[in-house]
Amino acid sequence: MIFDTHAHYDDEQFDEDRRELLHSMAENGVGRIVNVSASYASCARVVDMVQEYPFMYAAVGIHPDEVGDLNEETFARMKELFLRDKVVAVGEIGLDYYWDNESHAIQKKWFIRQLELARELALPVLIHSREAAADTMDIMKEYGGGLKGVIHCYSYSREMAKEYVKMGFYIGVGGVVTFKNARKLKETVEEIPLEAIVLETDCPYLAPVPFRGKRNHSAYIRYVAEEIAGLKGLTYEKVVAQTEMNAEKLYGIVR
Ligand code: NI
């Protein structure tokens, strides 16, 4: 079944039909979902939510746009959430030089602190990196050795993707791969092994074609898997089964 490795179901865009939508996932071929926090305020919400749904797990971490909320006290409080059940990763964390909400120095500081936290907890990391290719790679080389994780919503060159794969990381592929103008990502998917790819929505954002621009949700991953199957000359079933195994291995979730 489909494994959505990265979703944001605490988002207010799901307030009206969250329960109904999540309860329809199994019948739409979605087996598991990792619900990912972004802001400090979202961390506890995300962890609470996954306790209600047997097929959901949580990732706790602060997105680079939101690291302004972090100080030693909030960081310590966030850390306590890892004592709760079903928290399987640190994320999403990284660098975002597109929005540039915080200085690069502050972003790097908290990115590194959260990588160190993942090492301490022996958990995988979910990396957000936008227009910060070189700095992200530098930090992952210096602080990411031995860690498992996903380069989420991958948007850089295929050469760099291959380098991350060599370092043992997975490449997160979502709705963008179905966009007509996503030539670079399509080439990356063609070239890296299926064993290095995990599926993700980043919902409510980045819905695939034919829902581009609409609210995204995990069942739409079907279109992403179909696109990957077409690009790699594989069956849809093979793509879903292998990426599910990849995600289970990544998060240490056994059936
Ligand atoms: Ni995300």
Side-chain angles (χ1 to χ4, degrees):
M1 288 178 94
I2 286 167
F3 195 134
D4 184 354
T5 60
H6 189 126
H8 300 283
Y9 279 105
D10 67 308
D11 193 281
E12 59 183 17
Q13 289 188 54
F14 294 111
D15 283 353
E16 263 178 33
D17 60 348
R18 182 177 292 108
R19 188 168 300 248
E20 204 186 322
L21 184 67
L22 286 171
H23 281 301
S24 74
M25 284 301 159
E27 67 202 51
N28 285 305
V30 179
R32 289 196 164 87
I33 297 168
V34 172
N35 199 24
V36 179
S37 58
S39 65
Y40 175 67
S42 75
C43 290
R45 266 201 321 261
V46 157
V47 175
D48 284 342
M49 191 186 305
V50 305
Q51 310 306 324
E52 267 183 64
Y53 301 92
F55 55 91
M56 277 184 118
Y57 300 82
V60 169
I62 311 296
H63 188 288
D65 291 346
E66 307 281 347
V67 289
D69 290 339
L70 279 177
N71 53 50
E72 291 307 324
E73 195 194 324
T74 52
F75 187 72
R77 232 180 286 150
M78 180 186 88
K79 221 170 135 177
E80 286 170 13
L81 289 169
F82 288 93
L83 298 169
R84 303 271 308 273
D85 286 341
K86 300 172 79 181
V87 182
V88 295
V90 176
E92 59 186 291
I93 62 175
L95 301 174
D96 193 318
Y97 296 172
Y98 177 79
W99 291 110
D100 252 346
N101 275 0
E102 300 294 336
S103 74
H104 296 184
I106 296 280
Q107 291 191 42
K108 286 180 189 172
K109 172 191 161 177
W110 290 111
F111 182 23
I112 292 167
R113 284 289 296 273
Q114 293 183 95
L115 288 172
E116 286 168 342
L117 176 64
R119 185 181 308 285
E120 182 188 325
L121 299 168
L123 288 177
V125 288
L126 307 179
I127 307 297
H128 170 103
S129 178
R130 191 164 181 198
E131 293 189 11
D135 282 1
T136 305
M137 180 56 91
D138 287 349
I139 288 177
M140 292 310 283
K141 278 195 169 145
E142 193 169 348
Y143 300 92
L147 287 178
K148 288 195 293 182
V150 180
I151 313 302
H152 146 67
C153 197
Y154 187 76
S155 62
Y156 299 137
S157 71
R158 53 190 160 160
E159 291 77 20
M160 190 171 265
K162 284 192 221 164
E163 202 171 345
Y164 276 120
V165 171
K166 233 185 274 168
M167 289 160 71
F169 292 99
Y170 291 91
I171 302 299
V173 180
V176 174
V177 78
T178 67
F179 298 176
K180 250 205 176 117
N181 55 359
R183 190 180 51 86
K184 228 171 47 173
L185 180 59
K186 289 180 203 275
E187 285 172 1
T188 298
V189 165
E190 281 169 6
E191 284 201 22
I192 59 173
L194 185 61
E195 288 71 20
I197 294 175
V198 291
L199 304 180
E200 57 177 27
T201 50
D202 205 24
C203 67
Y205 310 107
L206 299 174
V209 173
F211 299 105
R212 188 172 180 177
K214 305 256 166 59
R215 184 185 74 169
N216 197 6
H217 63 71
S218 304
Y220 290 168
I221 279 194
R222 182 157 71 85
Y223 300 95
V224 175
E226 275 168 5
E227 181 72 27
I228 294 172
L231 288 168
K232 297 186 86 58
L234 299 168
T235 64
Y236 169 80
E237 289 74 18
K238 169 72 186 168
V239 170
V240 169
Q242 181 65 53
T243 54
E244 182 180 31
M245 275 198 289
N246 298 345
E248 288 171 350
K249 201 169 141 198
L250 164 73
Y251 290 124
I253 294 169
V254 279
R255 265 179 279 192

